[in-house]
């Protein structure tokens, strides 16, 4: 089944404001009726099937929940989980040990000061007081590497107390990984890790490390810029998804990729060239893409 969050006030028919669930054939799962009162920006599913949601809301299923909540697999509210943030939650990620990483526009999380990034314990969402890297501005994107290091992208120019322009990497204890500092020149909205470990970045930037890369780029395993990968998009790239065959899906506001017309969605070959056979041609911006296990 597919959990969907966003700005909508209906999904597959009346109701289902801001969050809903679809059956595998695309019909609405009418048993999943959450009743959030604001936009859902971020969703993550825990190994036990519980569903984490983050966004603008402050009310879920009749209870106060400030920008973050957790649901059971059936959609009931987890009453034990109520960390609360004082600003919008933009991104969520679940560590292999079950701890929950939270990024966004907040300056407090779980009742304590946390600058745009924090971590919660899995059981009841209590704040992990040992983890406090601190970002200088909004964290839009979180992605975990296989070694549990965390990639964070956003609007910040400092991370972990040091200069980091829109992207940085943290060790599992929250300390800054000083080996990665690609230095983009504008916001990063999405980060994805390829199966080979290379790191895809996308957003509003036009340069990485002083080299022209329009809205999308890739880093090597050691954090250096992959100069051979330079597809070019004419406007913002908001979402990236990597297929098992290494091809890369892009969604965003663009109408041109790699000098070919591509309206809001495109697919790249692993080397960064445009897959000319793939052109769905949407009529407005695409902000997220998710791959199903069957490849659809």
């Amino acid at each position: 089944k597919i959990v969907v969050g966003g700005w909508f006030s209906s999904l597959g028919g009346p109701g289902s404001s801001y969050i809903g669930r679809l059956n595998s054939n695309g019909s609405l799962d009418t048993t999943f009726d959450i009743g959030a009162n604001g936009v859902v920006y971020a969703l993550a599913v825990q190994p036990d099937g519980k569903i984490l949601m983050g966004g603008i809301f402050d009310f879920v299923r009749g209870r106060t929940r400030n920008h973050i909540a957790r649901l059971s697999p059936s959609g009931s509210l987890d009453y034990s989980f109520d960390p609360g943030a004082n600003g919008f939650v933009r991104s969520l990620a679940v560590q292999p040990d079950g701890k929950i990483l939270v990024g966004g526009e907040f300056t407090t999380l779980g009742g304590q000061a946390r600058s745009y990034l924090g971590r919660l314990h899995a059981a009841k969402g209590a704040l992990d007081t040992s983890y406090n890297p601190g970002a200088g501005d909004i964290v839009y994107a979180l992605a975990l590497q296989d070694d549990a290091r965390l990639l964070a992208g956003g609007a910040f120019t400092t991370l972990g107390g040091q200069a980091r322009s829109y992207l940085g990497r943290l060790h599992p204890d929250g300390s800054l990984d000083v080996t990665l500092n690609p230095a983009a020149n504008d916001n990063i909205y999405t980060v994805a890790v390829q199966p080979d470990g290379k790191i895809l970045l996308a957003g509003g930037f036009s340069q990485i490390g002083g080299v022209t890369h329009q809205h999308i780029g890739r880093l090597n395993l050691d954090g250096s810029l992959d100069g051979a990968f330079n597809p070019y998009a004419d406007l913002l790239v908001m979402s990236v998804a990597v297929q098992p065959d290494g091809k890369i899906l892009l969604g965003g506001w663009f109408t041109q990729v790699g000098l070919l017309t591509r309206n809001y969605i495109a697919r790249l070959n692993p080397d960064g060239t445009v897959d000319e056979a793939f052109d769905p041609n949407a009529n407005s911006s695409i902000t997220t893409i998710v791959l199903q296990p069957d490849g659809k």
Side-chain angles (χ1 to χ4, degrees):
K1 291 185 177 182
I2 303 158
V3 183
V4 183
W7 290 78
F8 54 83
S9 57
S10 68
L11 179 69
S16 298
S17 296
Y18 307 111
I19 182 170
R21 187 164 67 187
L22 304 175
N23 297 309
S24 58
N25 66 357
S27 63
L28 183 66
D29 180 354
T30 56
T31 68
F32 190 89
D33 185 12
I34 305 307
N37 72 335
V39 176
V40 174
Y41 279 127
L43 293 164
V45 181
Q46 297 183 175
D48 61 3
K50 289 184 178 180
I51 301 160
L52 296 158
M53 54 187 286
I56 295 178
F57 56 83
D58 55 20
F59 210 65
V60 177
R61 292 198 72 100
R63 295 291 185 98
T64 298
R65 286 295 184 273
N66 289 316
H67 311 298
I68 184 169
R70 185 165 66 187
L71 308 172
S72 73
S74 67
S76 60
L77 185 66
D78 183 345
Y79 295 118
S80 70
F81 183 95
D82 187 18
N86 73 335
F88 306 158
V89 170
R90 292 278 193 167
S91 49
L92 294 163
V94 181
Q95 293 184 172
D97 64 1
K99 288 184 178 179
I100 301 156
L101 295 152
V102 185
E105 303 181 39
F106 52 84
T107 54
T108 67
L109 180 68
Q112 296 189 43
R114 286 296 182 274
S115 296
Y116 309 104
L117 180 61
R119 187 166 68 186
L120 306 173
H121 291 290
K124 296 184 178 180
L127 186 70
D128 182 348
T129 57
S130 70
Y131 188 92
N132 190 12
D137 208 331
I138 301 168
V139 173
Y140 286 116
L142 298 173
L144 283 162
Q145 296 185 285
D146 289 343
D147 59 5
R149 285 185 293 180
L150 176 69
L151 295 157
F156 54 83
T157 55
T158 63
L159 182 67
Q162 297 189 46
R164 283 296 181 276
S165 296
Y166 309 104
L167 180 78
R169 184 164 62 190
L170 300 169
H171 294 292
D173 65 358
S175 61
L176 186 69
D177 181 351
V178 297
T179 66
L180 186 132
N181 189 11
N185 71 336
D186 206 339
N187 293 355
I188 289 175
Y189 293 115
T190 188
V191 182
V193 181
Q194 295 186 170
D196 62 4
K198 288 187 176 182
I199 301 162
L200 293 160
L201 320 173
F205 56 81
S206 59
Q207 292 185 348
I208 303 173
V211 179
T212 297
H213 279 261
Q214 290 286 135
H215 307 296
I216 182 164
R218 186 165 68 187
L219 305 179
N220 296 310
L221 294 174
D222 63 1
S224 62
L225 181 65
D226 182 350
F229 181 92
N230 199 353
Y232 172 83
D234 65 335
L235 286 171
L236 294 180
V237 176
M238 299 293 292
S239 184
V240 172
V242 184
Q243 298 183 172
D245 62 2
K247 289 187 177 182
I248 300 158
L249 294 156
L250 309 178
W253 297 2
F254 52 81
T255 57
Q256 192 177 63
V257 177
L259 304 181
L260 295 176
T261 297
R262 285 295 183 273
N263 290 318
Y264 312 109
I265 183 168
R267 185 164 66 187
L268 306 176
N269 296 309
D271 63 359
T273 57
V274 178
D275 181 348
E276 297 189 23
F278 182 93
D279 188 14
N281 191 31
N283 74 337
S284 191
S285 60
I286 289 174
T287 55
T288 191
I289 299 173
V290 177
L291 282 166
Q292 294 185 170
D294 63 1
K296 288 184 178 178

